[in-house]
């Protein structure tokens, strides 16, 4: 299944993408894409629906993030060997974990705002894991039992704030609008191998990132298990799993960063596409 949420920001309704590409309203069935709806039993209930009997959403509504606001928006740094190489960083011995501010959480096609004074705002296409069943001290062998599905995350990053201003990465990662998520949650039964997905990102039509989740240093199962040993993961929480090479800061001989007026378009095989206009804050 492909689950999504449509409508104005803060007033989204749950929906399902039908096999013909139509958006079907689920608000008469579930209150939101959150909580128990993301458990295996909740997803099975939605899967059993006769989608042809669900109301068809007219027009082209705004698409919000595919899950309600999470409790934890977790990100993993330097998780692709080829991305670590382009930044001149050593391969991490353990996953690098940081939290993205929930103020960054937004729909997949909402505008991305460059912070005031920023000169180094960058892009990062990433596979997002959406948690289904709560996870605490989970064994790697059982990790997939806690995954509801997958989505796309653009881990927008301000490199000066992240690297040059001292402290942790969080202030370069959590600016308002820096976490587009979606367009939909693809349930795990539709993703045969999350470690074999092509992912890409373009800026103004120029392909900047072209990678595969096959080059992740720590895979999905490892990340769910690892993070669950430091914090309880709740239904609807997101783990953004790192980015392949091709980010602006890695471009030689001079880095390239985003400017107002540009457009990012990004996608992951089987998970859809995002498109964001870049504007000044």
């Amino acid at each position: 299944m492909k689950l999504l949420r449509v409508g104005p920001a803060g007033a989204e309704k749950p929906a399902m993408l039908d096999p013909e590409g139509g958006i079907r309203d689920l608000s008469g069935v579930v209150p939101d894409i959150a909580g128990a709806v993301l458990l295996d039993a909740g997803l099975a209930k939605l899967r059993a629906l006769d989608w042809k009997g669900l109301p068809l959403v007219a027009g082209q509504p705004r698409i919000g993030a595919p899950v309600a606001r999470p409790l934890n928006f977790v990100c993993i740094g330097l998780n692709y060997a080829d991305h670590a190489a382009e930044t001149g960083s050593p391969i991490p011995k353990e996953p690098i974990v940081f939290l993205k501010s929930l103020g960054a959480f937004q729909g997949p096609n909402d505008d991305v705002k460059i912070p005031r004074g920023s000169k180094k705002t960058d892009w990062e296409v990433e596979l997002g894991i959406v948690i289904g069943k709560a996870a605490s001290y989970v064994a790697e062998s059982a990790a997939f039992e806690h995954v509801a599905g997958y989505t796309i995350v653009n881990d927008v990053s301000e490199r000066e704030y992240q690297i040059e201003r001292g402290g942790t990465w969080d202030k370069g990662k959590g600016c308002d609008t820096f976490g587009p998520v979606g367009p939909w949650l693809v349930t795990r039964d539709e993703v045969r191998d999350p470690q074999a997905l092509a992912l890409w990102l373009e800026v103004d039509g120029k392909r900047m990132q072209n990678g595969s989740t096959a080059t992740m240093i720590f895979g999905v199962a490892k990340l769910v298990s690892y993070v669950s040993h430091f914090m309880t993961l709740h239904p609807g929480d997101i783990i953004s799993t790192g980015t392949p090479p091709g980010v602006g800061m890695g471009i030689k001989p001079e880095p390239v960063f985003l400017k107002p007026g540009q457009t990012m378009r990004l996608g992951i095989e089987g998970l859809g596409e995002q498109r964001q206009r870049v504007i000044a804050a």
Side-chain angles (χ1 to χ4, degrees):
M1 284 186 301
K2 294 180 175 67
L3 302 175
L4 65 160
R5 298 166 70 249
V6 296
E12 295 92 344
K13 294 182 178 181
M16 172 190 296
L17 193 72
D18 72 30
E20 298 175 352
I23 298 174
R24 300 285 173 163
D25 188 349
L26 288 174
S27 59
V29 182
V30 294
D32 208 341
I33 308 299
V37 173
L38 293 167
L39 299 176
D40 285 350
L43 295 175
K45 177 183 176 182
L46 295 181
R47 198 174 288 114
L49 293 172
D50 176 9
W51 60 267
K52 293 181 179 179
L54 296 169
L56 187 63
V57 177
Q60 295 182 320
R62 170 187 172 271
I63 298 177
V67 292
R69 190 177 175 116
L71 190 62
N72 295 299
F73 193 171
V74 182
C75 294
I76 308 298
L78 297 175
N79 194 35
Y80 282 68
D82 34 11
H83 172 56
E86 77 171 343
T87 63
S89 303
I91 300 296
K93 295 180 180 179
E94 294 189 36
I96 296 172
V97 178
F98 60 94
L99 296 176
K100 206 169 184 76
S101 165
L102 295 182
F105 184 71
Q106 67 170 20
N109 304 316
D110 294 343
D111 293 343
V112 167
K113 298 178 182 179
I114 294 183
R116 295 177 186 177
S118 165
K119 297 179 181 178
K120 297 183 179 181
T121 298
D122 205 347
W123 55 83
E124 292 191 8
V125 58
E126 305 198 0
L127 173 68
I129 305 166
V130 180
I131 298 299
K133 184 170 68 172
S136 180
Y137 298 103
V138 171
E140 193 170 336
S141 60
F144 286 109
E145 298 173 15
H146 299 264
V147 175
Y150 304 93
T151 190
I152 303 170
V153 177
N154 188 354
D155 178 21
V156 185
S157 308
E158 211 298 342
R159 302 303 187 186
E160 180 189 5
Y161 301 175
Q162 176 190 356
I163 299 168
E164 302 171 34
R165 298 283 295 272
T168 65
W169 288 7
D170 301 67
K171 61 191 175 190
K173 296 283 193 171
C175 301
D176 293 350
T177 77
F178 271 24
V181 179
W184 33 75
L185 160 62
V186 180
T187 51
R188 75 173 188 269
D189 58 301
E190 288 200 12
V191 180
R192 185 178 60 84
D193 184 358
Q195 305 306 151
L197 301 176
L199 63 171
W200 54 271
L201 181 144
E202 296 176 352
V203 178
D204 289 344
K206 181 178 180 181
R207 186 64 59 99
M208 309 303 290
Q209 291 186 274
N210 223 0
S212 169
T213 57
T215 67
M216 285 170 60
I217 299 165
F218 305 106
V220 168
K222 174 66 176 181
L223 293 176
V224 172
S225 173
Y226 185 86
V227 174
S228 78
H229 281 73
F230 297 94
M231 66 188 80
T232 298
L233 295 167
H234 301 270
D237 282 355
I238 295 168
I239 303 176
S240 196
T241 59
T243 199
V247 299
M249 71 177 294
I251 294 175
K252 305 293 190 295
E254 293 293 330
V256 175
F257 298 108
L258 293 167
K259 298 177 181 178
Q262 293 187 305
T263 298
M264 291 181 282
R265 190 168 72 94
L266 54 149
I268 300 180
E269 180 182 356
L271 303 186
E273 295 185 8
Q274 298 184 355
R275 184 183 182 92
Q276 298 109 26
R277 183 176 58 134
V278 180
I279 64 173

